[in-house]
Amino acid sequence: GAGVSQSPSNKVTEKGKDVELRCDPISGHTALYWYRQSLGQGLEFLIYFQGNSAPDKSGLPSDRFSAERTGGSVSTLTIQRTQQEDSAVYLCASSHNNAGLKFGPGTRLTVL
Amino acid sequence: DAKTTQPTSMDCAEGRAANLPCNHSTISGNEYVYWYRQIHSQGPQYIIHGLKNNETNEMASLIITEDRKSSTLILPHATLRDTAVYYCIVRVPRNQAGTALIFGKGTTLSVSS
């Protein structure tokens, strides 16, 4: 079946603008994760949704970052007042029970 | 989640077995061992996971010591395309809220001809 999809694949924005990144997880997957990866760096955990439980937001770097998951499916990661240090590849992943995470192709965000 | 320790880098000759170690001495009884890899410019890819029995799939084998304090990922016949960063992670699999999957620095495996 279809994998995890993310949109847009690339986003270029100006400093101070807001951006929204979208993730469509695999149907039926109850867990959804957001990570980001700056150039040459490791994976940085941002936020984790599991079913109807309160999300784990412990990885969000500042209050400019927020995420929602509507209806237990699609998720949107919003970055307000973007800064140049927000430039990175934003990766979404989903999983079901104890299976491994399936990652999407990522959104490459460039803040000018 | 339990912390893992992996070597920073390893080299392997093409066609030989690549054995990637991971130490997880503080692992809890209900935590699984997961392995992922990330090939340059691609997203991470799930490889294999296990609890205490050795596991094998089409990609690799996972050997977990009897005391579960360490494990080894084995790529039986490494190819150039296996060059990647390999991550070992331990966690509870039931996706309880708060048990986020945290990636460490991993091992950079370089396969050469």
Side-chain angles (χ1 to χ4, degrees):
Chain A
V4 178
S5 61
Q6 293 185 244
S7 60
S9 55
N10 281 284
K11 177 70 176 179
V12 180
T13 190
E14 294 180 346
K15 178 181 174 181
K17 300 284 189 181
D18 297 351
V19 295
E20 283 190 353
L21 312 179
R22 177 186 169 106
C23 172
D24 285 84
I26 294 172
S27 178
H29 279 195
T30 54
L32 186 148
Y33 293 78
W34 282 98
Y35 294 86
R36 72 176 177 181
Q37 190 167 35
S38 302
L39 188 63
Q41 301 299 309
L43 285 158
E44 178 186 2
F45 165 72
L46 296 177
I47 189 168
Y48 161 54
F49 296 89
Q50 171 55 44
N52 295 322
S53 301
D56 177 357
K57 304 179 182 179
S58 60
L60 295 178
S62 78
D63 59 8
R64 296 186 295 105
F65 288 73
S66 63
E68 292 183 341
R69 188 178 185 193
T70 55
S73 181
V74 172
S75 177
T76 303
L77 177 69
T78 301
I79 309 173
Q80 296 178 311
R81 305 181 302 281
T82 53
Q83 304 294 313
Q84 288 183 330
E85 60 264 27
D86 299 335
S87 296
V89 176
Y90 287 79
L91 291 158
C92 176
S94 69
S95 73
H96 183 63
N97 290 337
N98 66 340
L101 297 187
K102 301 294 185 184
F103 281 82
T107 294
R108 182 175 299 278
L109 174 66
T110 304
V111 181
L112 301 176
Chain B
D1 288 337
K3 187 174 180 179
T4 62
T5 305
Q6 298 177 254
T8 302
S9 62
M10 293 183 64
D11 296 319
C12 181
E14 188 177 22
R16 306 297 287 263
N19 298 295
L20 293 97
C22 180
N23 185 291
H24 31 80
S25 58
T26 59
I27 191 170
S28 299
N30 59 347
E31 288 183 310
Y32 281 60
V33 181
Y34 289 80
W35 283 85
Y36 290 80
R37 73 179 181 183
Q38 187 171 24
I39 296 170
H40 183 62
S41 298
Q42 297 182 23
Q45 178 188 24
Y46 163 80
I47 301 174
I48 198 168
H49 75 281
L51 182 62
K52 52 185 176 181
N53 297 322
N54 297 337
E55 301 288 344
T56 296
N57 63 20
E58 65 279 4
M59 291 182 68
S61 294
L62 174 61
I63 308 298
I64 303 173
T65 58
E66 191 169 344
D67 63 6
R68 303 208 325 120
K69 293 185 177 183
S70 66
S71 61
T72 302
L73 179 73
I74 301 173
L75 307 178
H77 306 286
T79 70
L80 299 179
R81 288 175 294 180
D82 291 322
T83 293
V85 179
Y86 287 77
Y87 298 96
C88 169
I89 304 160
V90 295
R91 69 165 299 203
V92 175
R94 285 199 172 275
N95 295 327
Q96 298 162 9
T99 56
L101 198 65
I102 307 297
F103 287 76
K105 296 188 182 301
T107 296
T108 299
L109 175 68
S110 299
V111 181
S112 57
S113 56

